[in-house]
Amino acid sequence: MAEQLTRTSPAHEPELDELLIDAEADDEQVQQQPVVLQRPWLLLLGLVLVALNLRPALSSMAPVLGQVSEGLGLSASAAGLLTTLPVLCLGLFAPLAPVLARRFGSERVILGILLTLALGIVVRSAFGAIGVFLGSLMAGASIGIIGVLLPGIVKRDFPQQAGTLTGVYTMALCLGAAMAAGATVPLSQHFAGSWAMGLGFWMIPALLAMLVWLPQARQGHGAHKVAYKVRGLWRDPLAWQVTLYMGLQSSLAYIVFGWLPSILIGRGLSPTEAGLVLSGSVIVQLISSLSAPWLATRGKDQRLAIVIVMLVTLAGLFGCLYAPLSGLWGWAVLLGLGQGGTFALALTLIVLRSKDAHVAANLSSMAQGVGYTLASMGPFAVGLVHDLTGGWAAVGWIFAVLGTGAIVFGLKAGRAQHVQVVSERV
């Protein structure tokens, strides 16, 4: 039975739990399987620990990027590639997550990929120039796969508390990113100035998460049968507008993760101070990431909200780049508020532009796969521009181009419509 989805005004406003896109929403067996949790507290602890590990491999590199580049003899362009690789892998490997989950079960896949993440962190820290690139690739691929699967488990196993746990999940992501950004330099200094030890430390939380998650892998669902297929998504203009907004706002976010400390160090801050500024900005994202979706659904569409959060983001970026350092913390807070809102709205658009959970799962896969691949070009462009100009001032043009593009596609994606696709049972 096929259902034609037309461009009509969405009939609902997303609750907080709806932002948890289930990667296995196309799998009828998973959706109908009764949830029996013997030790829900252990699953909840495991979910939090896994979520905590989805950002440290990304945010830990930025504060010590200068030391890594100097120690390994990397140019700014090569350092840009180093910040690009993990983000590129988020996009390239995200579509693989549902395939692996249907074959082995989400719980077992997450356990195995946590091991890959830990190994990637070790390889990045211990094997020189080749290892730092290979390890970054492994870490990015691991985060891309786990990040797609984890929200669906939250939504499936805690359906009555999914809204609350969405907030917990978001807090864990922000906390993990903030801890790594703020603690990596002090850890390096503690280990006699060794950036490798500072980066390698983040293997420990990944191994701890593996131990706590092990009981869940023993209760995996096993192989599944795909029950629904969505056709026409890749030909739909609205789907591409959502995807491009996701990619462009993500590009700015990963520029901040990869380069903001280096920019601030170039302006005169110490590596510790620069890492703390990034850490503080990430923590502030929690406020707007939880409030922006609710505020965005108060009006007839999301266009005004998209413009506001992107302008706030750009103001924070330009303030960190050009304004006097005396007001830096204010600009960092503004940046965090803007970027928390832009990312939350990107997730909100996926829900609002989809007629049902099957379409949302497929649109999420498209938006993440293509969007993160596009986003990876931003950090590389920053390194290239810095290499060509010898400074950071020209990076503002990258901010302006990406921000303008995000507003343009966001205005189109923010209209109250649905993607035109066919969702059919197979």
Side-chain angles (χ1 to χ4, degrees), residues 254-280:
Y254 288 108
I255 287 174
V256 170
F257 272 134
W259 285 109
L260 182 61
S262 296
I263 292 172
L264 297 178
I265 291 169
R267 297 197 63 198
L269 269 65
S270 70
T272 300
E273 292 171 332
L276 288 175
V277 170
L278 175 59
S279 178

Side-chain angles (χ1 to χ4, degrees), residues 355-369:
K355 189 69 173 180
D356 58 37
H358 310 298
V359 177
N362 283 268
L363 181 56
S364 177
S365 178
M366 176 181 176
Q368 291 188 68

Side-chain angles (χ1 to χ4, degrees), residues 148-230:
V148 172
L149 296 179
L150 205 61
I153 293 178
V154 174
K155 200 168 185 177
R156 182 197 68 204
D157 290 346
F158 296 98
Q160 303 303 319
Q161 300 85 24
T164 301
L165 292 183
T166 302
V168 174
Y169 175 75
T170 304
M171 288 178 63
L173 290 176
C174 290
L175 182 60
M179 287 193 308
T184 299
V185 172
L187 284 168
S188 300
Q189 294 171 344
H190 177 74
F191 293 110
S194 171
W195 60 262
M197 292 296 292
L199 291 177
F201 172 85
W202 302 106
M203 168 195 66
I204 297 175
L207 293 177
L208 177 61
M210 280 186 61
L211 291 176
V212 177
W213 190 256
L214 184 60
Q216 311 307 325
R218 293 171 176 168
Q219 303 172 26
H221 292 287
H224 306 142
K225 177 183 177 181
V226 178
Y228 285 86
K229 183 177 182 179
V230 173

Side-chain angles (χ1 to χ4, degrees), residues 54-55 58 83-95 140 143-145 147-148 151 169 173 240 242-254 257 342-344 346-347 350 363-379:
L54 296 185
R55 291 296 179 267
L58 303 176
T83 61
T84 294
L85 267 180
V87 186
L88 179 62
C89 290
L90 292 181
L92 294 180
F93 286 84
I143 294 168
I145 293 173
V148 172
Y169 175 75
L173 290 176
W240 278 102
V242 172
T243 296
L244 290 171
Y245 173 73
M246 167 68 87
L248 291 168
Q249 66 83 25
S250 294
S251 190
L252 289 173
Y254 288 108
F257 272 134
T342 58
F343 178 66
L347 297 182
I350 293 173
L363 181 56
S364 177
S365 178
M366 176 181 176
Q368 291 188 68
V370 177
Y372 286 140
T373 302
L374 173 64
S376 68
M377 298 300 103

Side-chain angles (χ1 to χ4, degrees), residues 20-396:
L20 293 174
I21 303 295
D22 189 348
E24 296 181 273
D26 288 346
D27 195 315
E28 193 172 67
Q29 178 179 333
V30 174
Q31 302 308 313
Q32 294 179 352
Q33 190 163 10
V35 178
V36 179
L37 299 179
Q38 297 178 348
R39 290 175 290 180
W41 64 268
L42 185 60
L43 173 58
L44 180 58
L45 177 61
L47 288 168
V48 171
L49 289 177
V50 174
L52 279 171
N53 282 278
L54 296 185
R55 291 296 179 267
L58 303 176
S59 61
S60 61
M61 177 62 76
V64 295
L65 185 58
Q67 300 173 42
V68 174
S69 299
E70 182 179 352
L72 299 178
L74 302 179
S75 66
S77 297
L81 180 60
L82 185 58
T83 61
T84 294
L85 267 180
V87 186
L88 179 62
C89 290
L90 292 181
L92 294 180
F93 286 84
L96 183 61
V99 178
L100 291 173
R102 289 173 186 133
R103 177 64 180 87
F104 301 105
S106 294
E107 294 83 359
R108 295 190 183 100
V109 172
I110 289 176
L111 180 67
I113 298 301
L114 279 172
L115 177 60
T116 306
L117 175 60
L119 290 175
I121 293 172
V122 172
V123 169
R124 185 177 68 169
S125 305
F127 293 94
I130 294 177
V132 80
F133 285 98
L134 178 60
S136 295
L137 187 153
M138 293 171 63
S142 301
I143 294 168
I145 293 173
I146 295 176
V148 172
L149 296 179
L150 205 61
I153 293 178
V154 174
K155 200 168 185 177
R156 182 197 68 204
D157 290 346
F158 296 98
Q160 303 303 319
Q161 300 85 24
T164 301
L165 292 183
T166 302
V168 174
Y169 175 75
T170 304
M171 288 178 63
L173 290 176
C174 290
L175 182 60
M179 287 193 308
T184 299
V185 172
L187 284 168
S188 300
Q189 294 171 344
H190 177 74
F191 293 110
S194 171
W195 60 262
M197 292 296 292
L199 291 177
F201 172 85
W202 302 106
M203 168 195 66
I204 297 175
L207 293 177
L208 177 61
M210 280 186 61
L211 291 176
V212 177
W213 190 256
L214 184 60
Q216 311 307 325
R218 293 171 176 168
Q219 303 172 26
H221 292 287
H224 306 142
K225 177 183 177 181
V226 178
Y228 285 86
K229 183 177 182 179
V230 173
R231 295 190 291 108
L233 194 65
W234 290 81
R235 299 189 301 272
D236 185 83
L238 181 57
W240 278 102
Q241 290 155 9
V242 172
T243 296
L244 290 171
Y245 173 73
M246 167 68 87
L248 291 168
Q249 66 83 25
S250 294
S251 190
L252 289 173
Y254 288 108
I255 287 174
V256 170
F257 272 134
W259 285 109
L260 182 61
S262 296
I263 292 172
L264 297 178
I265 291 169
R267 297 197 63 198
L269 269 65
S270 70
T272 300
E273 292 171 332
L276 288 175
V277 170
L278 175 59
S279 178
S281 183
V282 172
I283 284 291
V284 171
Q285 289 185 20
L286 182 63
I287 299 172
S288 53
S289 65
L290 295 178
S291 60
W294 183 85
L295 292 172
T297 54
R298 298 307 98 184
K300 62 179 182 179
D301 58 36
Q302 290 70 53
R303 288 177 292 183
L304 178 61
I306 287 169
V307 172
I308 290 174
V309 295
M310 187 51 64
L311 290 178
V312 171
T313 297
L314 289 174
L317 285 168
F318 286 123
C320 290
L321 185 59
Y322 298 122
L325 291 177
S326 58
L328 177 60
W329 275 101
W331 295 114
V333 168
L334 201 62
L335 175 61
L337 290 173
Q339 291 202 306
T342 58
F343 178 66
L345 284 181
L347 297 182
T348 304
L349 289 177
I350 293 173
V351 173
L352 289 175
R353 302 294 85 94
S354 303
K355 189 69 173 180
D356 58 37
H358 310 298
V359 177
N362 283 268
L363 181 56
S364 177
S365 178
M366 176 181 176
Q368 291 188 68
V370 177
Y372 286 140
T373 302
L374 173 64
S376 68
M377 298 300 103
F380 179 73
V382 170
L384 183 61
V385 168
H386 179 63
D387 223 8
L388 293 173
T389 63
W392 298 107
V395 171

